[in-house]
Amino acid sequence: MDPIELKRAVGSGLLSFPVTHFDQELKFDEDSYRKHIEWLAGYDAAALFAAGGTGEFFSLNPQEIPCVVAAAKGSAGKTPIICGAGYGTSLAIDIAKSAEKAGADGLLLLPPYLMFSEQAGLIDHVKAICKSVGIGVIVYNRDNAVLTADSIARLCDECPNLIGFKDGVGDVDKVIEITTKLQDRLVYVGGMPTHEVYAQAYFAAGVTTYSSAVFNFIPALAQRFYQALRSGNQPVVDEILKTFFFPFVALRNRKKGYAVSIIKAGLRVRDRDPGPVRPPLIDLNPEETALLEHIVQANEIEKIAAE
């Protein structure tokens, strides 16, 4: 997909990060993953991010990533597939090139491994990866990789295929500076964990789309919440926050790494088992899974979403 086409697609609706399916030996389960992608593609996501954060990018080896991308592309129909890329510059370039060859429509550039660095180093890192491929790139501000508005503006001048900015830091004032300075040069994506609880503040900052992890197991509700936000239907927004997202986040926050693990547990609750998470993550225990099932069933989530 042409970078400009991808930019339009990403900004057109809700986004999601499919979990990566593993068997009981923790090997990539391609058949199960393909079925999951087919199911999600039926709920009108603007784009799906294969091998992203919720897809356990950090647990995949570089040889597995193009396999995941190819499986997603083969099952998503017309839905664009954006692949994660990260680690040090050289390895990120290798991943980016292999993802492009496997059919990815774009890249989400995750933070480099561990190191904190100066703006000049981050600019060189992003620029090298952008110039290694012809597909569109979305840069992700998070953890040890936080670009300033001036740095992003410079990258936009030097990298025509840099089409998007995603924020996972939560400093809305900095986001406003970026959106004000860059205007429509980029598409802006919210990327906080369970971003729905932050979405109203980000909408006010000019970030009108986001990646929804819960789309993995309650896609109809995720879309209903997003449409209520876009249309200003505050009673529906408030009701879904109270009945689902607030208790969901409380459960997610019980243990480290549960931002991914709870999504896989949600699929098990919906009888769509994606297999376990890979270490160092751990799965929810039976009591926590039962609580999650109660959150879903007690509120008749999919029934509510369909009304």
Side-chain angles (χ1 to χ4, degrees):
M1 181 177 284
D2 176 86
I4 300 302
E5 289 181 280
L6 180 65
K7 178 185 171 186
R8 292 194 198 101
V10 169
S12 69
L14 186 61
L15 313 167
S16 188
F17 281 70
V19 297
T20 303
H21 290 220
F22 302 125
D23 63 21
Q24 292 306 308
E25 295 180 350
L26 299 179
K27 295 179 181 178
F28 175 47
D29 188 339
E30 182 174 340
D31 289 343
S32 180
Y33 181 71
R34 281 179 172 270
K35 291 174 184 175
H36 183 53
I37 295 294
E38 289 173 3
W39 183 59
L40 293 183
Y43 284 89
D44 296 325
L48 295 173
F49 290 74
T54 306
E56 297 180 71
F57 171 83
F58 45 84
S59 294
L60 298 170
N61 68 52
Q63 291 73 40
E64 289 176 309
I65 292 171
C67 298
V68 173
V69 170
K73 279 297 294 181
S75 305
K78 295 181 180 179
T79 305
I81 296 297
I82 299 170
C83 178
Y87 305 114
T89 306
S90 178
L91 182 52
I93 287 172
D94 287 347
I95 292 170
K97 288 181 175 179
S98 69
E100 182 178 36
K101 186 176 180 180
D105 297 293
L107 299 171
L108 175 66
L109 187 53
L110 298 163
Y113 174 74
L114 196 58
M115 282 293 146
F116 287 84
S117 56
E118 296 297 324
Q119 290 295 300
L122 289 172
I123 288 170
D124 287 345
H125 174 74
V126 174
K127 183 164 61 174
I129 296 157
C130 285
K131 291 186 178 299
S132 74
V133 295
I135 53 179
V137 177
I138 299 171
V139 69
Y140 191 6
N141 263 17
R142 187 162 181 170
D143 297 324
N144 60 315
V146 181
L147 290 154
T148 65
D150 288 342
S151 294
I152 295 170
R154 178 177 165 185
L155 283 164
C156 285
D157 289 340
E158 299 185 27
C159 304
N161 63 329
L162 181 63
I163 57 98
F165 167 78
K166 182 178 181 184
D167 183 72
V169 177
D171 291 339
V172 177
D173 57 333
K174 300 297 185 185
V175 175
I176 292 172
E177 182 183 0
I178 291 166
T179 58
T180 301
K181 185 160 191 170
L182 277 300
Q183 297 288 313
D184 61 358
R185 170 61 181 81
L186 298 174
V187 62
Y188 302 99
V189 180
M192 296 294 289
T194 315
H195 189 85
E196 283 87 351
V197 299
Y198 301 90
Q200 294 180 88
Y202 273 78
F203 268 47
V207 181
T208 56
T209 189
Y210 57 86
S211 54
S212 172
V214 301
F215 191 99
N216 271 279
F217 67 98
I218 48 166
L221 181 77
Q223 284 285 19
R224 183 169 186 252
F225 183 81
Y226 176 73
Q227 295 302 329
L229 276 172
R230 292 296 297 261
S231 65
N233 190 338
Q234 197 63 43
V236 171
V237 169
D238 291 346
E239 180 64 19
I240 297 174
L241 284 171
K242 288 187 291 185
T243 61
F244 179 75
F245 282 110
F246 292 155
F248 174 85
V249 168
L251 180 56
R252 182 206 72 193
N253 287 344
R254 282 191 171 197
K255 292 175 186 169
K256 295 176 181 178
Y258 267 15
V260 175
S261 305
I262 198 170
I263 304 303
K264 284 197 163 180
L267 278 161
R268 289 187 203 99
V269 166
R270 298 295 312 279
D271 295 322
R272 294 179 172 273
D273 190 359
V277 293
R278 280 179 172 173
L281 297 181
I282 60 171
D283 285 301
L284 272 65
N285 63 37
E287 182 245 342
E288 291 163 338
T289 301
L291 285 172
L292 178 59
E293 185 172 12
H294 176 74
I295 292 169
V296 173
Q297 292 184 348
N299 294 286
E300 296 184 318
I301 294 300
E302 290 298 293
K303 180 180 177 182
I304 292 170
E307 290 177 353

